[in-house]
Amino acid sequence: MKAEQATQRTCREVEAGYASAGGENERTECTAGVTFTAVAGESSCQLCHSCGAGEREATPCTTTADRTCQQTRPGWYSPYGDNGQYECPKSSDSALSSFAGQPSCDRCADGYYRNDGTNASLLSCQRCPDHATCTDDTTLSTIVLDADFWRLT
Protein backbone atom coordinates (compact mmCIF):
# COMPACT_ATOMS: atom_id res chain seq x y z
CA MET A 1 0.00 0.00 0.00
CA LYS A 2 1.32 3.35 -1.01
CA ALA A 3 1.40 6.14 1.55
CA GLU A 4 -0.50 9.28 0.59
CA GLN A 5 1.59 12.37 0.30
CA ALA A 6 0.37 15.52 2.02
CA THR A 7 0.28 18.61 -0.12
CA GLN A 8 1.47 21.79 1.49
CA ARG A 9 -0.82 24.69 0.59
CA THR A 10 0.07 28.31 0.87
CA CYS A 11 -2.90 30.52 1.58
CA ARG A 12 -2.99 34.21 0.97
CA GLU A 13 -5.48 36.87 1.87
CA VAL A 14 -8.08 37.74 -0.74
CA GLU A 15 -7.79 41.30 -2.01
CA ALA A 16 -10.46 44.02 -1.74
CA GLY A 17 -13.33 43.36 -4.16
CA TYR A 18 -13.27 39.63 -3.38
CA ALA A 19 -14.38 37.40 -0.51
CA SER A 20 -13.51 33.90 0.62
CA ALA A 21 -15.60 32.08 3.21
CA GLY A 22 -13.64 30.36 5.98
CA GLY A 23 -12.33 26.94 4.99
CA GLU A 24 -12.83 27.51 1.28
CA ASN A 25 -9.93 27.69 -1.09
CA GLU A 26 -11.85 29.75 -3.62
CA ARG A 27 -12.36 33.48 -3.88
CA THR A 28 -15.59 35.04 -5.09
CA GLU A 29 -15.66 38.43 -6.79
CA CYS A 30 -18.17 40.93 -5.43
CA THR A 31 -20.79 42.25 -7.89
CA ALA A 32 -20.38 45.92 -8.91
CA GLY A 33 -23.46 47.94 -8.00
CA VAL A 34 -24.69 45.21 -5.64
CA THR A 35 -21.91 44.08 -3.26
CA PHE A 36 -18.39 45.18 -2.26
CA THR A 37 -15.46 44.61 0.10
CA ALA A 38 -13.40 47.69 0.85
CA VAL A 39 -10.54 45.84 2.59
CA ALA A 40 -8.62 42.64 1.94
CA GLY A 41 -9.34 39.41 3.81
CA GLU A 42 -13.15 39.56 3.99
CA SER A 43 -15.14 36.35 4.26
CA SER A 44 -18.21 37.81 2.51
CA CYS A 45 -19.16 40.76 0.31
CA GLN A 46 -21.33 43.49 1.87
CA LEU A 47 -24.48 44.86 0.24
CA CYS A 48 -24.15 48.33 -1.29
CA HIS A 49 -26.14 50.98 0.55
CA SER A 50 -28.99 52.87 -1.12
CA CYS A 51 -29.25 56.64 -0.99
CA GLY A 52 -31.90 58.05 1.34
CA ALA A 53 -34.82 60.30 0.48
CA GLY A 54 -33.60 63.58 -1.04
CA GLU A 55 -30.19 62.10 -1.88
CA ARG A 56 -28.65 61.03 -5.16
CA GLU A 57 -25.66 58.87 -5.99
CA ALA A 58 -22.39 60.84 -5.98
CA THR A 59 -20.13 57.86 -6.71
CA PRO A 60 -21.35 54.39 -7.69
CA CYS A 61 -20.85 51.22 -5.69
CA THR A 62 -17.93 49.26 -7.13
CA THR A 63 -16.55 45.90 -6.07
CA THR A 64 -14.10 47.73 -3.75
CA ALA A 65 -16.11 50.72 -2.45
CA ASP A 66 -19.64 51.46 -1.27
CA ARG A 67 -21.75 54.10 -3.02
CA THR A 68 -21.61 57.65 -1.70
CA CYS A 69 -24.60 59.97 -1.74
CA GLN A 70 -25.20 63.71 -1.72
CA GLN A 71 -28.22 66.00 -1.54
CA THR A 72 -30.28 66.59 -4.66
CA ARG A 73 -30.03 70.07 -6.19
CA PRO A 74 -32.78 72.68 -5.77
CA GLY A 75 -35.52 72.01 -8.34
CA TRP A 76 -34.73 68.28 -8.31
CA TYR A 77 -35.92 65.42 -6.06
CA SER A 78 -35.19 61.81 -5.19
CA PRO A 79 -37.51 59.37 -3.41
CA TYR A 80 -36.11 57.08 -0.69
CA GLY A 81 -33.91 54.28 -1.98
CA ASP A 82 -33.77 55.66 -5.51
CA ASN A 83 -30.16 56.56 -6.19
CA GLY A 84 -31.00 58.98 -9.02
CA GLN A 85 -32.40 62.49 -9.06
CA TYR A 86 -35.23 63.80 -11.17
CA GLU A 87 -36.14 67.29 -12.28
CA CYS A 88 -39.33 68.67 -10.75
CA PRO A 89 -42.32 68.43 -13.14
CA LYS A 90 -43.25 71.23 -15.50
CA SER A 91 -46.09 71.71 -17.96
CA SER A 92 -46.94 74.46 -20.42
CA ASP A 93 -48.99 76.21 -17.69
CA SER A 94 -47.31 75.20 -14.43
CA ALA A 95 -44.04 74.26 -12.76
CA LEU A 96 -43.01 72.75 -9.43
CA SER A 97 -39.79 73.15 -7.48
CA SER A 98 -38.07 71.95 -4.31
CA PHE A 99 -35.33 72.89 -1.89
CA ALA A 100 -32.07 70.93 -2.08
CA GLY A 101 -32.26 67.46 -0.55
CA GLN A 102 -35.99 66.87 -0.93
CA PRO A 103 -37.82 63.58 -1.65
CA SER A 104 -40.56 65.37 -3.64
CA CYS A 105 -41.41 68.66 -5.35
CA ASP A 106 -43.69 70.54 -3.00
CA ARG A 107 -43.34 74.18 -4.03
CA CYS A 108 -44.40 76.33 -6.99
CA ALA A 109 -41.36 77.31 -9.07
CA ASP A 110 -40.19 80.90 -9.67
CA GLY A 111 -42.68 82.65 -11.95
CA TYR A 112 -45.69 80.76 -10.54
CA TYR A 113 -48.03 81.17 -7.54
CA ARG A 114 -50.67 79.13 -5.75
CA ASN A 115 -53.79 80.09 -3.85
CA ASP A 116 -53.37 80.42 -0.08
CA GLY A 117 -54.14 77.20 1.77
CA THR A 118 -53.52 74.89 -1.20
CA ASN A 119 -50.68 72.45 -1.68
CA ALA A 120 -48.38 72.97 -4.64
CA SER A 121 -49.22 70.78 -7.65
CA LEU A 122 -49.22 71.12 -11.42
CA LEU A 123 -52.93 71.98 -11.10
CA SER A 124 -52.59 74.58 -8.31
CA CYS A 125 -49.43 76.42 -9.46
CA GLN A 126 -50.43 79.15 -11.93
CA ARG A 127 -48.38 81.60 -14.01
CA CYS A 128 -47.57 84.83 -12.25
CA PRO A 129 -49.79 87.69 -13.52
CA ASP A 130 -48.37 90.52 -15.62
CA HIS A 131 -46.82 93.38 -13.62
CA ALA A 132 -46.08 91.09 -10.66
CA THR A 133 -43.17 89.06 -9.27
CA CYS A 134 -43.61 85.50 -8.04
CA THR A 135 -40.55 83.96 -6.41
CA ASP A 136 -40.20 80.40 -5.15
CA ASP A 137 -43.51 79.17 -3.64
CA THR A 138 -45.39 82.47 -3.83
CA THR A 139 -49.02 82.41 -2.70
CA LEU A 140 -51.79 84.72 -3.86
CA SER A 141 -51.34 86.91 -0.78
CA THR A 142 -47.53 87.18 -1.19
CA ILE A 143 -47.40 88.17 -4.88
CA VAL A 144 -45.25 91.29 -5.20
CA LEU A 145 -46.85 93.86 -7.54
CA ASP A 146 -44.89 96.29 -9.68
CA ALA A 147 -44.96 99.96 -8.67
CA ASP A 148 -48.25 101.75 -9.47
CA PHE A 149 -50.25 98.48 -9.52
CA TRP A 150 -52.70 97.32 -6.85
CA ARG A 151 -54.93 94.39 -5.94
CA LEU A 152 -58.39 94.03 -4.47
CA THR A 153 -57.40 91.34 -1.93
Side-chain angles (χ1 to χ4, degrees):
M1 197 159 78
K2 193 173 177 181
E4 290 188 30
Q5 264 185 338
T7 302
Q8 180 68 32
R9 293 188 178 172
T10 304
C11 296
R12 61 187 167 126
E13 195 172 60
V14 292
E15 60 269 23
Y18 292 86
S20 180
E24 291 186 14
N25 293 319
E26 300 292 323
R27 69 180 186 160
T28 304
E29 185 173 14
C30 300
T31 305
V34 180
T35 59
F36 74 100
T37 58
V39 295
E42 293 291 329
S43 61
S44 63
C45 297
Q46 297 176 348
L47 285 175
C48 299
H49 291 97
S50 291
C51 296
E55 295 181 325
R56 68 178 179 92
E57 183 177 85
T59 59
C61 182
T62 65
T63 59
T64 59
D66 198 2
R67 131 183 328 105
T68 61
C69 302
Q70 65 186 43
Q71 279 190 340
T72 56
R73 299 185 315 238
W76 295 72
Y77 73 100
S78 180
Y80 177 78
D82 186 324
N83 300 317
Q85 73 173 355
Y86 308 95
E87 190 171 12
C88 290
K90 294 175 175 53
S91 72
S92 58
D93 299 324
S94 187
L96 294 173
S97 187
S98 68
F99 289 123
Q102 294 299 305
S104 63
C105 300
D106 58 357
R107 309 173 65 73
C108 293
D110 285 346
Y112 297 87
Y113 76 97
R114 61 184 169 83
N115 286 322
D116 295 307
T118 63
N119 294 323
S121 71
L122 286 178
L123 295 174
S124 67
C125 295
Q126 303 169 40
R127 277 194 196 283
C128 194
D130 292 339
H131 309 291
T133 302
C134 298
T135 57
D136 187 48
D137 207 34
T138 295
T139 61
L140 183 60
S141 63
T142 60
I143 291 174
V144 177
L145 299 174
D146 292 348
D148 299 325
F149 286 85
W150 52 275
R151 72 171 102 210
L152 295 174
T153 58

